[in-house]
Amino acid sequence: MAAGKAAEETKETELIMWTHSDTFRFMEIKDAVVKARIEPSLKNQTEAILQDLGISTTEAIRMFFNQVRLRKGLPFEVRIPGAETQTAIDELEAGKGQRFKSVDALFVDLDD
């Protein structure tokens, strides 16, 4: 390698092959690891929801990564709330705001 040039790191993708009904199929070996530090409560609450859905955390992360790759970006909208929306969020998080006994009662209030 020439002096001053950074070494390029290459890794061949390992594939496994199996047959099913005389058709050859290839699948990349899953050996990459993703680690992230998150709040324990977020992890626990999310894993409980995923368990109810019958999806493992690993499967959910794989689904997310595939959607990012397919969409070439996040698979959902990310934005900062406007002032009015943020005020409403802050109010609700502080336990304020109106509560209604039913959706009908909410709509009656909205019509007033």
Side-chain angles (χ1 to χ4, degrees):
M1 179 179 353
K5 287 191 176 181
E8 286 189 73
E9 199 176 306
T10 60
K11 179 184 175 187
E12 292 183 26
T13 301
E14 294 183 55
L15 299 174
I16 57 174
M17 180 177 71
W18 73 97
T19 61
H20 178 69
S21 303
D22 298 325
T23 303
F24 290 100
R25 300 182 188 271
F26 294 92
M27 183 176 81
E28 188 174 354
I29 293 175
K30 298 172 186 153
D31 65 350
V33 176
V34 176
K35 289 178 91 173
R37 291 192 182 278
I38 60 172
E39 299 86 354
S41 61
L42 174 60
K43 178 183 180 288
N44 295 335
Q45 291 170 6
T46 302
E47 285 180 337
I49 293 167
L50 293 173
Q51 184 176 10
D52 289 346
L53 293 171
I55 300 170
S56 72
T57 303
T58 298
E59 290 167 326
I61 292 169
R62 186 177 305 111
M63 291 166 69
F64 173 74
F65 274 40
N66 276 312
Q67 285 299 307
V68 169
R69 180 178 59 186
L70 288 169
R71 296 169 187 254
K72 298 187 182 350
L74 293 175
F76 47 82
E77 185 177 351
V78 177
R79 61 188 184 147
I80 298 170
E84 185 177 351
T85 303
Q86 188 60 55
T87 300
I89 291 169
D90 293 343
E91 234 179 63
L92 292 173
E93 287 178 347
K96 298 177 184 173
Q98 284 186 278
R99 296 192 186 275
F100 298 92
K101 293 183 180 183
S102 69
V103 173
D104 290 335
L106 167 68
F107 281 111
V108 167
D109 185 72
L110 288 173
D111 287 338
D112 290 341

